[in-house]
Amino acid sequence: MMKIYSSSQKFGHKHLTATVHNRAARIRVGKGDRPVTYEQAHHPHHIAHRKGWLSQHTSNLKGEDRAAERTIEDVFIRRFVFGTFHGCLANEIVIKRRGNVLSVCAVMLQKLPPQKFYFLIGYTESLLSHFYKCPVKLEIQTLQDKAVYKYL
Amino acid sequence: MASPSSKAFLSLGRIYIPLLGFNKSSGKVTYATALSINSSSGNKGLPDRGGRGSLGRRPRRDAGEPRTEKMPVDQDWTAVYPAAAPFRPSSVPLPVRMGYPVKGGIPPEKKGNLELIKIPNFLHLTPAAIKKHCEALKPFCTEWPSALDTDAKCDEHFPIKVESTDYVSAGPSLRNLSARIVHLRNYDYAMYLLTVLYHESWKTEAWEAEKTVADMEEYSWEDSPSQKNVLDLLLRMKVAGEGDGEEVRQQLLGRREVQEYKDSVTRLKNEGESESGMVQYKEAVKKVFNL
């Protein structure tokens, strides 16, 4: 963790404050050989300006509740899909809820033969449907390689 | 897998992925559109050899061309997007780009673009699709009666309104808890009650004829002490001239100040005291006294 000491003038006094710059969800600029996706390249303060939301549900509207439960579900689903399709995910997972259907959209790399893909998709869908007691649909797209936005 | 099957799918010229023991036709439609075009299929003829063969020698079929290449211009779009679905770059034949461009560059293309998947799309609600929906619903609808063209007419003929609330909610459960909070009303019973009350209100009982002034719900100015007082006052002020008779009283009643006084007193009595009511009364009284 880098600590930068800077002096700030307040009310005529000189204070030494320790500022710690944000490290959340940021890939720092490096040599220029590391490919990053659009999602990774933009920092969290760009959400709603240059990035959309990875998860959509109605619980954050006025008068609606159960936002925390939806968030927990989202976290679990992300880890589950990441582990099930290990090494195949090209980008983050997008979770959409339409009514009581949970739609998980993922972009994958063509690392596995399609039979295995089909099996894993069916396995994920049935397991998550039984777990959450609601229809879970997995919508997969595949790519040859990750979509690189820039090199950092 | 036996070699005849591998020959079969090569000759058919389609990407046809034989599945071990799986029923091919059951519910795989969504996968077929998304996966079968873009993904590669291993050579099913020799699965074992492929993985453990010599380095790099993993025969691999390339992904076929995306569906967009094969779409005719006048295709039925409702077949491509029959229901709400995420954006599939290989199914949408539009060269869309989305995202913040790199410096000196352009927005990223649609292939592998997560931003396009994140946003909700209405590709399943094109005008053609909506027309189809309407056509499907038509047999269940009747014409709106042409006589009911204004809100006022609707209120006049159908004064009873039933309110229902719809909720937008997404979660595992089908039920929305706020739907349990209702204004307690049994629709049928309410209809029955209203009908009974309506009929009852028309019947007049014999004892209703014995209604006295004290029973009245509303204050009426005619034949009230206020009317008598004001008329006596005016007579004493000799506004009308001479005489005290019925016609003089009638004539006084018709005068504008008296009418205004009547309105203000009626208003005060019926609606209770209020700022504007008192102001109106004051004005009326001043006019009666010619101040």
Side-chain angles (χ1 to χ4, degrees):
Chain A
M1 264 236 301
M2 267 202 319
K3 276 202 176 167
I4 295 176
Y5 286 87
S6 64
S7 66
S8 60
Q9 292 207 319
K10 256 191 188 182
F11 307 114
H13 298 282
K14 267 209 171 151
H15 294 273
L16 275 178
T17 50
T19 38
V20 181
H21 296 293
N22 282 332
R23 311 268 341 163
R26 283 168 167 79
I27 297 180
R28 305 261 158 177
V29 172
K31 288 235 173 61
D33 54 356
R34 180 178 175 175
V36 287
T37 59
Y38 187 91
E39 190 67 30
Q40 291 163 328
H42 286 97
H43 297 166
H45 62 266
H46 286 132
I47 295 176
H49 297 271
R50 299 182 193 175
K51 288 209 291 193
W53 279 269
L54 289 168
S55 162
Q56 284 175 358
H57 52 80
T58 58
S59 307
N60 288 324
L61 296 173
K62 181 179 175 179
E64 299 289 328
D65 54 2
R66 308 269 187 284
E69 281 91 337
R70 302 291 96 77
T71 316
I72 302 279
E73 288 163 19
D74 285 355
V75 171
F76 178 82
I77 290 168
R78 281 175 208 283
R79 287 193 187 206
F80 186 86
V81 174
F82 177 75
T84 318
F85 296 87
H86 194 256
C88 295
L89 277 181
N91 214 328
E92 296 281 335
I93 291 155
V94 173
I95 300 179
K96 294 188 182 189
R97 285 179 177 78
R98 274 186 220 110
N100 80 331
V101 174
L102 233 174
S103 175
V104 180
C105 315
V107 186
M108 308 248 170
L109 299 172
Q110 292 160 5
K111 279 199 168 174
L112 295 173
Q115 285 163 308
K116 296 203 177 163
F117 259 122
Y118 284 152
F119 170 76
L120 288 176
I121 290 168
Y123 158 80
T124 313
E125 283 196 355
S126 41
L127 203 75
L128 289 177
S129 304
H130 279 284
F131 192 58
Y132 286 122
K133 308 281 183 283
C134 67
V136 176
K137 283 174 66 177
L138 218 58
E139 327 244 355
I140 308 281
Q141 294 170 28
T142 55
L143 296 174
Q144 286 272 20
D145 311 291
K146 282 193 186 181
V148 179
Y149 179 64
K150 61 183 183 181
Y151 291 88
L152 287 180
Chain B
M1 298 305 289
S3 46
S5 66
S6 61
K7 277 201 197 126
F9 68 75
L10 283 172
S11 64
L12 278 172
R14 282 186 279 154
I15 293 178
Y16 181 84
I17 298 153
L19 305 169
L20 296 157
F22 273 70
N23 188 357
K24 292 181 272 294
S25 58
S26 66
K28 299 287 186 222
V29 181
T30 42
Y31 311 141
T33 42
L35 244 187
S36 61
I37 315 303
N38 271 337
S39 67
S40 66
S41 51
N43 191 343
K44 293 300 159 280
L46 310 156
D48 301 307
R49 288 256 199 96
R52 289 176 231 146
S54 47
L55 290 167
R57 224 214 305 151
R58 197 179 320 179
R60 194 188 149 162
R61 270 168 68 110
D62 287 319
E65 53 176 23
R67 183 177 171 179
T68 49
E69 313 285 325
K70 299 175 215 158
M71 283 179 169
V73 178
D74 54 351
Q75 69 174 332
D76 180 21
W77 183 253
T78 55
V80 184
Y81 266 88
F87 182 85
R88 270 173 249 128
S90 56
S91 300
V92 179
L94 301 167
V96 283
R97 289 179 173 270
M98 177 151 172
Y100 193 80
V102 202
K103 191 171 168 192
I106 47 172
E109 54 169 9
K110 63 177 181 176
K111 194 158 159 253
N113 196 327
L114 202 68
E115 300 300 312
L116 283 165
I117 302 174
K118 286 179 191 173
I119 54 170
N121 66 62
F122 293 94
L123 292 163
H124 57 291
L125 291 174
T126 49
I130 295 182
K131 233 184 224 166
K132 272 195 184 175
H133 293 165
C134 292
E135 290 302 323
L137 286 172
K138 262 207 177 120
F140 303 103
C141 302
T142 55
E143 281 277 332
W144 181 262
S146 53
L148 287 174
D149 47 5
T150 58
D151 268 342
K153 280 196 199 161
C154 289
D155 284 337
E156 181 196 331
H157 293 284
F158 299 96
I160 300 170
K161 291 190 168 51
V162 180
E163 261 186 24
S164 62
T165 331
D166 299 312
Y167 296 93
V168 175
S169 168
S173 157
L174 280 172
R175 291 161 178 77
N176 187 324
L177 284 180
S178 32
R180 301 182 65 227
I181 303 165
V182 285
H183 296 290
L184 287 165
R185 226 189 243 192
N186 182 336
Y187 176 73
D188 294 326
Y189 184 61
M191 290 290 121
Y192 161 74
L193 270 185
L194 282 169
T195 329
V196 165
L197 285 171
Y198 178 74
H199 286 302
E200 286 291 321
S201 63
W202 280 109
K203 289 192 217 161
T204 25
E205 304 275 337
W207 45 261
E208 279 188 33
E210 295 165 25
K211 201 170 171 189
T212 61
V213 176
D215 290 330
M216 296 283 199
E217 310 92 18
E218 239 187 12
Y219 178 78
S220 69
W221 198 68
E222 289 80 29
D223 298 329
S224 74
S226 172
Q227 182 188 13
K228 257 198 298 147
N229 289 340
V230 106
L231 287 174
D232 286 337
L233 195 72
L234 284 171
L235 279 171
R236 263 183 268 147
M237 281 169 33
K238 298 204 184 84
V239 172
E242 76 290 325
D244 172 25
E246 205 41 54
E247 308 127 27
V248 182
R249 283 183 184 260
Q250 291 294 342
Q251 190 193 28
L252 276 176
L253 265 178
R255 288 178 65 150
R256 207 164 50 87
E257 301 96 28
V258 179
Q259 291 295 325
E260 278 182 27
Y261 182 75
K262 166 191 163 195
D263 287 332
S264 63
V265 168
T266 321
R267 184 182 164 183
L268 274 177
K269 292 264 181 177
N270 281 337
E271 292 173 20
E273 293 191 3
S274 68
E275 190 68 49
S276 49
M278 294 306 281
V279 166
Q280 195 182 355
Y281 181 72
K282 175 181 105 177
E283 296 299 318
V285 168
K286 282 206 295 195
K287 283 204 187 125
V288 167
F289 285 136
N290 277 340
L291 288 170

